[in-house]
Amino acid sequence: MKHLLFYFFLFFITISYSQQLENVDFTKVEAQLSFDVDSSKVHGVVDYYFKALQSVDSIFVDAIGMDFENVTLKGKKISFKNDGKKLIVYSNFKADKTYHLSFNYTAKPNKALYFVGWKNEAPNQIWTQGQGKYTSNWLPSLDDTNDKIEFDLSITFNNDYEVVSNGVLVDKEIGEENTTWFFDMKEPMSSYLVALVVGKYRIYKETSNSGIPLDMYYYPQDSLKVEPTYRYSKQMFDFLENEIGVAYPWQNYKQIPVHDFLYAGMENTSATIFSDAFMVDSIAFVDKNYVNVNAHELAHQWFGDYITAKRGEDHWLQEGFATYYALLAERDVFGENYYYWRLYEYAQELMDQNRSGTSTSLLNPKSSSVTFYKRGAWSLHALREEVGDEAFKKAVKNYLEAHPFSIVETNDFISEVEKTSGKDLTEFVNTWLIQVDFPMDKALESLMQSAYIQEYEMVDCELATSKCDYYLTAPISDEAKLKVISQIPERVTSESFDTSLKGRQAIAQNVDNIPLGMKDEYESLLKDNSYLTMESALFHLWINFPENREVYLDQTREIIGLSDKNVRQLWLALALSTPSYEPEIKESLLNELISYSSPKYGFEVRITAFNYLNSLGIYNEQVFVNLVEASKHNNWQFMKYAKSMLGDLSKNPDYQKTILKLQNSN
């Protein structure tokens, strides 16, 4: 029987729809929102429009910890229950009848909507992150991702701020103090994709070849970061529309950076929110850029937003597709070698899972991100090789067009590929989707079609040392050169510096002991257009040549570096550790380093600052205050880091005094 194992697997892990979806079709939400930043509350007036599919005596919307007033149905007050998790409305709902539910609510969200900066030094912002089933913490909505609804939001806030939400801004009403912004979505979406941002921004505008407005937001002080941050945005948008074969499904596309975001980015429908740590200048672009995140969240506008996975076991239909199409967009920008190199890196991570015994089926809803994202992308790459470009692209187009603004499962896609290719994909499905271990042998067979990967595998100074001196100066790829330098840093010579920017970065990061004869060449690394190179070179030169420390510090004192201020913070730590260097300003340097641990800065900056302060043994009251504040941060990874450090310092008497002082002040 065709796909017997596949169907059995899906049957075994299938979960049923909620009864709500079978009984009620919610079609539209109109929400009028305002915020009290002092109390971190959101106030709203919400109108829900829905059709009863069956005759029922109640319907509900998910609402976590909210208060409700003026609950009406068709303009008349109605019986309702608020159990702290849902607003349940009781009436004699008739099949095939349409209804209008309205209510006022107030919420103080514990998650999903964040008031950033209003009570500390961080930039004043409000932003959302609803992925999962979290939007119901700030907006009464439907947690079930299978329920697609049109959301139209109007948001009132102070005139000094910009407001961004899903859809097109259709109107603004400007008052003496506040402005109301009206946003219109023409098509339905899952509630986890509803988003808003409030902050101080400017907008860089472009238009796609198909006429879609592309709005790229930035902080007023970051005008020089706009081009490198959003580099290739329009090119990738145009590429994906053409490659996918289905027009971008929304009215416009916006990208908004925010402070202390929980993840790299989030593909809210027509309005991607991303971490402002990706706002970079032209030098930082070499070391860390937004291109991959940019492409990934954009691809989600089709795979995740336009069509949404029905169940957890179909999650790869979102993340695997977004990862794969982002890689295709990057290939269009950076070339074929880049594409195969990233696939090689993905394969190594997946093989590590095999070795550690943590691999899982791609259809396991509890799989890791590495599996959903990178094995998902690999499966699509392998499938395209299996059936050919024409059949693959036609299948993707048919698959999207067959389920517009709807929900999908794995077999919806596989069936389309079988139709266009005329192939039975049972073996493919079993190997790439169901099998627990990643099929590394098949992946290597595919990778070895690339001469670039062949060269990388061939160049190995742990196995064949006779050619290694040649490899150090040979015209081989950056990745192969980095591999050689990391394996034999002690054999790097002055001639090795005559290489690419990435090759020189590898020297800076791997050559710890600098021979006197290479000093001049190594010092030249401080002038490279790479903040990572500058950071490593400064540290190693400071260690190796104590007599020149003041020279190196003078040379690099104006360099800030990446978004985490990597060069500047290293410079401060080294300057503080050099007794003879400008002793009259030591206190101001120390205060600057401590300031980077404060809430004014993003958590990436703060982690770097705390690490340096810890290594220098600097624990004054302000450091402890900042660390305690960090232990309550909305980013769970940073919060965990801060709690761990506090645990290590719990026996420090200065810490105990600070905690006692804080407790008494409260």
Side-chain angles (χ1 to χ4, degrees), residues 128-139:
T128 59
Q129 170 53 27
Q131 186 162 25
K133 297 182 178 181
Y134 299 139
T135 295
S136 58
N137 283 268
W138 65 272
L139 176 69

Side-chain angles (χ1 to χ4, degrees), residues 445-472:
E445 183 180 340
S446 173
L447 287 168
M448 287 307 148
Q449 298 177 56
S450 165
Y452 195 78
I453 300 301
Q454 290 177 28
E455 178 193 70
Y456 182 82
E457 284 287 288
M458 176 191 70
V459 173
D460 193 332
C461 290
E462 291 179 349
L463 299 176
T465 60
S466 61
K467 291 186 177 181
C468 287
D469 291 330
Y470 164 74
Y471 290 149
L472 285 170

Side-chain angles (χ1 to χ4, degrees), residues 50 57-59 69-81 87-93 99-103:
F50 61 93
D57 61 5
S58 66
I59 61 100
E69 293 180 343
N70 302 324
V71 181
T72 65
L73 188 69
K74 293 186 175 180
K76 297 181 180 180
K77 288 191 175 182
I78 191 170
S79 176
F80 71 92
K81 178 182 178 182
L87 170 66
I88 307 167
V89 178
Y90 299 96
S91 185
N92 186 20
F93 298 101
Y99 295 89
H100 172 202
L101 172 67
S102 180
F103 51 80

Side-chain angles (χ1 to χ4, degrees), residues 156-175:
T156 301
F157 204 76
N158 185 279
N159 293 340
D160 293 336
Y161 291 82
E162 292 286 322
V163 174
V164 193
S165 186
N166 313 88
V168 171
L169 178 65
V170 293
D171 196 14
K172 284 171 64 175
E173 293 181 357
I174 303 175

